[in-house]
């Protein structure tokens, strides 16, 4: 039987670090298996492995070493963007709602007290014009809930939403995230953004995917309320474990008040495959405000995969007058991120 014996002589002289391993110089420190002395990592240790190791044992030790020293998982940053017409029609441009979600799994948790740990993420949000100048820029610090046990398998994400007024034009929307307690952990997300609501014909806002049905708000107005309805987003269009229904919200502009319209929506595969499930509703054009478009689909029989939600509005002559498409991801076995709370 092989054993670890205390070294009573002078420790092996450290000859520097090396990527190669000399068996006769291996040193092992109980309780700290990522450290060795000699030709590997040069960490002082009062224990020496005194017997010859087999090739299989060496391989196991190397695999353990690589696992222990593997880099931490990269930070995860999700960015959802929806464009709406400005409520004041005399103002050219649009309102862009940006919903940012930072995963709590990869953040570094710092001790704040006995059995109290908290992480932090610093997010910088920018809307960049084609000339490179920032039309909008803001930095926000996010603090997820305090944990008593950092080994918990699930750590809730933290989210915030901003409502930005932007002139008509083309932009690059950029979000940078930095772990507050691990500077090397960063994430960057960029996506093109076009703001254009100058037309006079019927047009539709982007479709917002929701984790819960849009409901009448019982609180004062905030960034999560549109047309008096509270919207709880489904980050990145993900419908995961326990989420058997898809909900959505959109707005229709420039239609006559009282005009009957048919709202039709359906889910299909990303390559234009046939419809999997569909729904229909009858709506009427609203007077003095956008016409609300809302619906739901049953996902209980939809397998895991990526899909497209198609939303279209037809007039009394069955002509499509406006439509939008958004991406949906179905992962029944995956944990679903919690809904956002109001950023304070």
């Amino acid at each position: 039987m092989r054993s670890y014996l205390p070294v009573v002589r002078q420790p092996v002289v450290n000859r520097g670090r090396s990527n190669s391993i000399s068996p006769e110089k291996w040193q092992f420190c109980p309780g700290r298996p990522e450290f060795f002395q000699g030709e590997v990592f040069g960490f002082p240790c009062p224990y020496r492995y005194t017997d010859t190791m087999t090739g299989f044992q060496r391989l196991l030790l190397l695999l353990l070493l690589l696992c222990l020293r593997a880099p931490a998982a990269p930070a995860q940053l999700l960015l959802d963007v929806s464009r709406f017409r400005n409520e004041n029609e005399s103002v050219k441009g649009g309102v862009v709602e940006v919903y940012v979600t930072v995963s709590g799994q990869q953040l570094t948790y710092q001790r704040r007290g006995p059995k109290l740990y908290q992480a932090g993420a610093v997010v910088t949000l920018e809307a960049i014009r084609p000339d490179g100048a920032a039309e909008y820029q803001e930095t926000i610090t996010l603090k997820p809930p305090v944990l008593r046990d950092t080994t918990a398998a699930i750590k809730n994400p933290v989210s915030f939403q901003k409502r930005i007024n932007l002139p008509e034009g083309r932009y690059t929307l950029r979000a940078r995230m930095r772990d507050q307690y691990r500077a090397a952990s960063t994430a960057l997300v960029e996506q093109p953004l076009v703001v254009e609501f100058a037309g006079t014909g019927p047009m539709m806002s982007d479709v917002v995917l929701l984790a819960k049905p849009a409901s009448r708000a019982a609180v004062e107005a905030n960034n999560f309320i549109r047309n008096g309805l509270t919207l709880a987003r489904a980050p990145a269009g993900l419908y995961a474990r326990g989420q058997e229904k898809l909900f959505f919200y959109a707005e229709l502009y420039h239609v006559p008040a009282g005009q009957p319209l048919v709202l039709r929506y359906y889910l299909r595969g990303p390559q234009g495959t046939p419809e999997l499930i569909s729904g229909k509703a009858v709506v009427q054009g609203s007077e003095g405000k956008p016409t609300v478009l809302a619906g739901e689909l049953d996902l209980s029989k939809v397998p895991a995969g990526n899909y497209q939600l198609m939303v279209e509005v037809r007039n009394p002559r069955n002509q499509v007058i406006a439509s939008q498409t958004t991406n949906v991801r179905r992962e029944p076995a995956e944990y679903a991120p919690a809904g956002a709370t109001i950023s304070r």
Side-chain angles (χ1 to χ4, degrees):
M1 178 180 295
R2 295 168 172 80
S3 60
Y4 299 97
L5 300 177
V7 175
V8 295
R9 327 187 271 284
Q10 183 70 22
V12 174
V13 176
N14 179 16
R15 296 186 177 89
R17 299 175 182 232
S18 171
N19 292 328
S20 62
I21 298 178
S22 302
E24 66 275 8
K25 296 186 178 68
W26 280 0
Q27 300 269 345
F28 185 87
C29 182
R32 305 192 70 178
E34 72 271 32
F35 293 109
F36 295 83
Q37 182 164 334
E39 297 297 326
V40 187
F41 295 111
F43 184 80
C45 179
Y47 287 82
R48 173 177 293 175
Y49 184 50
T50 60
D51 204 347
T52 304
M53 300 181 73
T54 66
F56 179 71
Q57 289 172 322
R58 294 176 187 176
L59 178 61
L60 287 178
L61 187 59
L62 284 172
L63 290 175
L64 174 63
L65 177 63
L66 290 174
C67 290
L68 289 172
R69 294 184 63 85
Q76 186 180 23
L77 177 66
L78 302 177
L79 194 62
D80 295 279
V81 182
S82 302
R83 298 162 299 173
F84 299 90
R85 191 194 67 186
N86 200 305
E87 294 181 3
N88 184 352
E89 294 189 52
S90 64
V91 178
K92 292 184 178 181
V95 176
V96 179
E97 292 190 354
V98 184
Y99 184 81
V100 180
T101 306
V102 177
S103 171
Q105 297 294 112
Q106 290 82 25
L107 292 178
T108 303
Y109 282 78
Q110 196 88 322
R111 184 173 181 179
R112 291 301 180 200
K115 294 184 178 181
L116 295 177
Y117 302 87
Q118 189 170 42
V122 180
V123 179
T124 299
L125 197 59
E126 298 174 295
I128 309 296
R129 298 196 300 261
D131 61 4
E135 180 69 30
Y136 163 85
Q137 184 181 62
E138 185 174 1
T139 299
I140 297 174
T141 300
L142 303 176
K143 295 283 188 180
V146 174
L147 295 181
R148 292 186 175 275
D149 180 11
T150 58
T151 63
I154 295 176
K155 301 179 178 70
N156 284 334
V158 59
S159 310
F160 74 92
Q161 180 168 296
K162 298 298 294 186
R163 189 169 287 172
I164 309 167
N165 291 309
L166 290 177
E168 290 197 347
R170 296 180 177 271
Y171 303 89
T172 297
L173 194 63
R174 178 185 301 157
R176 299 176 184 270
M177 193 281 291
R178 174 178 55 83
D179 191 322
Q180 193 172 21
Y181 303 118
R182 183 157 54 100
S185 180
T186 60
L188 173 66
V189 177
E190 291 185 343
Q191 67 180 65
L193 174 66
V194 178
V195 179
E196 187 176 7
F197 287 98
T200 58
M203 63 178 62
M204 190 188 302
S205 71
D206 287 328
V207 176
V208 181
L209 293 171
L210 305 176
K212 301 176 182 178
S215 58
R216 285 294 165 189
V219 296
E220 61 184 28
N222 58 61
N223 285 348
F224 294 90
I225 296 176
R226 289 202 64 85
N227 280 317
L229 298 174
T230 299
L231 308 181
R233 289 177 178 259
L238 171 64
Y239 290 87
R241 187 176 65 201
Q243 294 180 305
E244 303 299 326
K245 287 191 176 182
L246 174 153
F247 305 95
F248 71 86
Y249 171 93
E251 295 177 0
L252 182 66
Y253 311 114
H254 305 151
V255 293
Q259 182 182 40
L261 302 167
V262 176
L263 171 65
R264 186 173 182 273
Y265 45 95
Y266 53 93
L267 198 68
R268 70 180 187 183
Q271 303 301 325
T273 54
E275 301 174 14
L276 295 176
I277 48 177
S278 63
K280 184 184 290 187
V282 177
V283 298
Q284 284 190 336
S286 299
E287 183 176 1
K289 62 179 182 179
T291 300
V292 171
L293 307 175
E296 65 180 71
L297 290 172
D298 186 354
L299 300 178
S300 59
K301 297 182 180 179
V302 176
N306 295 319
Y307 301 93
Q308 289 181 331
L309 174 66
M310 315 290 293
V311 180
E312 59 186 33
V313 179
R314 295 176 179 264
N315 62 18
R317 291 179 291 178
N318 202 33
Q319 297 173 323
V320 177
I321 60 172
S323 64
Q324 283 286 10
T325 303
T326 191
N327 295 322
V328 176
R329 185 158 62 99
R330 174 70 170 147
E331 295 290 348
E334 184 177 328
Y335 168 71
T341 56
I342 299 174
S343 180
R344 298 189 184 278

